[in-house]
Amino acid sequence: GIRMEKENKLTRGLTLFTLFTLITGAMVGMAWAILANVFLDRAGPAVMISIGVAAILTLFVGLCFAELCSAMPYAGGAYIYVRRGINKFVGFIAGWLLVMAYAAMMPGECIILGKLINGVFPALDPSMVGAVLALVFTLVNLAGIRFSGLVQFLLTAALFIGLLIFVFAGIPELELQNFKPFFGRGTGGIFLMIPIAMLAFMGYDVLPQAAEEVNAPIRKMVFIIPVSIFFVAFMYIAVLVVTAGVVHWETIAKNTEHIPIMPSVFKALGPKGAYIVIIAGICGLITTMNAFMVGGSRLLYGMAQDGEVPAVFGKLSSKTRVPYAGILFIGALGVAGSFIQELIVLFDTAAASVLVSYFLVALTVLVLRRKEPDLERPYRIHGYPYIPIIAAIAVVPTWVISLAILKVWALGVFAGWVIIGCGYYLLIRKNR
């Protein structure tokens, strides 16, 4: 059945500060450096407007998570909410898709990190680099939530310090004519880029997964969601202002190199600046990987508690109180991905999978307000029902784009995973 009040067996080892770095680190990878050419090419410097609008729409989805998390602060997050609000089957599918998304981050990040570090140190084999990182972060997570929270804090600090060094060094070099024409390819590009920019904010959904491990009142905890979204939006826009204003934005838009922001970096920071940006990017990729390892293992733990996935995922280490089976499973995927590059296909499907749960969470807010008006909600959305309705509608074009950019076999993997999930659920249910 649905767990109403349940004994918390996980350790409350996260502070509000380490929680903040867990979710900002999950949101910011390295897209700000690698995809800057795509963003500027589609919308010119006006893409900053797209990012601002995307941040507001993301905030609306985030507030839906905040309301539900305040009412049900359990590991499992979206899976728990949708199961209770809509029904067990839809809840299972939300959880099943999130399992794929969270698990898929690991092989994807290991493959990308292996290539990136090999680019800086050609003597290092990319597959070995990825595998070693997967093993290291498996051990970090097995050591307990306090330790993984501390490692996350240090790496996230390095990421944002690197970004701020670039921003502050670039401000004196800004020239207004570099932003012209501001609306680059016309206003159509701005609208096109809003749903794509929403993908750059994904990761705040890790917070509900860690809800049982935060040593803070629930109202303060859910407040970290909007704070993180605004902070990340500010960082993205600051980096874009410098990227597009230090050299003419079309120089970046037309740059086909692996890290297209390098002309701006060289002008702002000199040749050594490349290392600062690459180290910040590596830290961003690792913080994303670590956060999804925390999130994925807690999601599996929450689902195992309800008997939806094998019981081993619901077992905790007697010493560190972490769900060790989920951590080992996600770590093993990272090692596998490092050697089997084709597993990047899982990474490609992650966005489409997560967005389904975003839509269902917004819907669940509407359903539960009608179904259980007396449910205790320490945080309630102001502007109900408009905010959850806008949130649900805003997710749809982003989801359509996330499917449209998939290659045929990635689409096949996504569809196959849904079919396997439905089959597994119906067969297991019948046998129960």
Side-chain angles (χ1 to χ4, degrees):
I2 289 166
R3 292 164 298 143
M4 292 295 307
E5 287 307 319
K6 69 184 194 58
E7 177 191 2
N8 180 15
K9 301 189 184 83
L10 295 156
T11 307
R12 292 201 180 273
L14 289 174
T15 64
L16 285 175
F17 215 71
T18 48
L19 180 68
F20 174 74
T21 58
L22 188 72
I23 59 174
T24 52
M27 289 156 84
V28 182
M30 202 178 172
W32 51 272
I34 293 175
L35 297 178
N37 54 348
V38 176
F39 271 58
L40 288 166
D41 188 50
R42 302 276 160 81
V47 77
M48 292 172 224
I49 299 170
S50 312
I51 291 174
V53 175
I56 292 164
L57 296 174
T58 300
L59 175 71
F60 288 179
V61 183
L63 293 175
C64 295
F65 271 94
E67 174 167 311
L68 295 171
C69 183
S70 79
M72 294 167 269
Y74 307 132
Y79 152 74
I80 300 275
Y81 317 150
V82 177
R83 176 186 168 94
R84 177 149 172 197
I86 301 175
N87 63 38
K88 287 181 182 179
F89 174 66
V90 179
F92 171 79
I93 292 299
W96 183 250
L97 282 169
L98 276 179
V99 166
M100 172 144 115
Y102 286 8
M105 295 306 281
M106 197 70 186
E109 300 284 351
C110 287
I111 292 166
I112 295 165
L113 276 160
K115 286 179 179 166
L116 191 64
I117 293 172
N118 168 261
V120 186
F121 303 105
L124 296 176
D125 175 58
S127 297
M128 288 308 293
V129 170
V132 167
L133 278 167
L135 287 169
V136 167
F137 278 86
T138 301
L139 293 172
V140 164
N141 277 279
L142 288 172
I145 190 69
R146 264 192 199 92
F147 187 62
S148 55
L150 175 66
V151 171
Q152 182 79 1
F153 167 72
L154 294 171
L155 288 166
T156 306
L159 158 66
F160 290 123
I161 288 167
L163 290 183
L164 288 170
I165 289 171
F166 172 51
V167 169
F168 284 118
I171 288 170
E173 304 288 331
L174 291 177
E175 288 177 39
L176 269 177
Q177 64 260 36
N178 288 338
F179 292 107
K180 292 175 184 166
F182 186 73
F183 290 98
R185 313 272 183 258
T187 48
I190 302 175
F191 290 105
L192 172 71
M193 291 312 289
I194 291 168
I196 295 173
M198 281 182 77
L199 294 171
F201 288 97
M202 289 168 67
Y204 55 88
D205 46 288
V206 168
L207 178 140
Q209 304 298 347
E212 289 183 50
E213 293 165 279
V214 182
N215 192 10
I218 190 73
R219 272 191 72 96
K220 286 188 177 168
M221 185 173 91
V222 296
F223 186 64
I224 297 285
I225 295 178
V227 170
S228 300
I229 291 167
F230 279 126
F231 175 76
V232 167
F234 170 78
M235 293 302 291
Y236 281 155
I237 290 171
V239 168
L240 248 170
V241 166
V242 171
T243 302
V246 168
V247 299
H248 194 276
W249 67 266
E250 291 210 40
T251 311
I252 307 293
K254 293 193 172 86
N255 191 354
T256 54
E257 294 196 11
H258 189 53
I259 304 179
I261 71 168
M262 281 307 172
S264 300
V265 174
F266 289 147
K267 193 164 177 205
L269 289 164
K272 294 263 167 71
Y275 289 106
I276 293 173
V277 167
I278 289 170
I279 290 166
I282 288 170
C283 288
L285 292 167
I286 294 175
T287 54
T288 303
M289 183 174 90
N290 187 50
F292 281 103
M293 194 173 222
V294 172
S297 55
R298 273 57 175 185
L299 170 66
L300 285 164
Y301 169 75
M303 292 181 76
Q305 297 271 301
D306 291 328
E308 300 290 20
V309 295
V312 66
F313 289 112
K315 292 193 163 68
L316 296 178
S317 148
S318 56
K319 197 173 164 196
T320 56
R321 313 304 297 160
V322 293
Y324 58 87
I327 292 168
L328 289 169
F329 167 67
I330 293 170
L333 275 173
V335 174
S338 303
F339 294 103
I340 308 162
Q341 304 277 303
E342 288 75 20
L343 284 177
I344 194 88
V345 71
L346 294 175
F347 187 67
D348 296 338
T349 61
S353 303
V354 173
L355 288 161
V356 173
S357 75
Y358 286 9
F359 177 78
L360 291 171
V361 162
L363 213 59
T364 300
V365 171
L366 296 164
V367 174
L368 266 181
R369 283 277 191 117
R370 298 193 66 160
K371 199 163 126 182
E372 297 189 45
D374 301 329
L375 175 68
E376 193 187 332
R377 297 170 173 86
Y379 168 76
R380 294 171 75 89
I381 294 174
H382 304 295
Y384 176 89
Y386 306 107
I387 285 179
I389 289 170
I390 294 167
I393 293 168
V395 168
V396 176
T398 306
W399 186 69
V400 170
I401 285 174
S402 73
L403 284 178
I405 57 180
L406 290 182
K407 296 186 179 75
V408 175
W409 59 311
L411 262 175
V413 168
F414 178 78
W417 184 250
V418 174
I419 293 162
I420 291 166
C422 294
Y424 167 79
Y425 185 88
L426 298 171
L427 291 171
I428 295 282
R429 274 275 172 259
K430 277 186 183 149
N431 295 338
R432 256 189 210 164

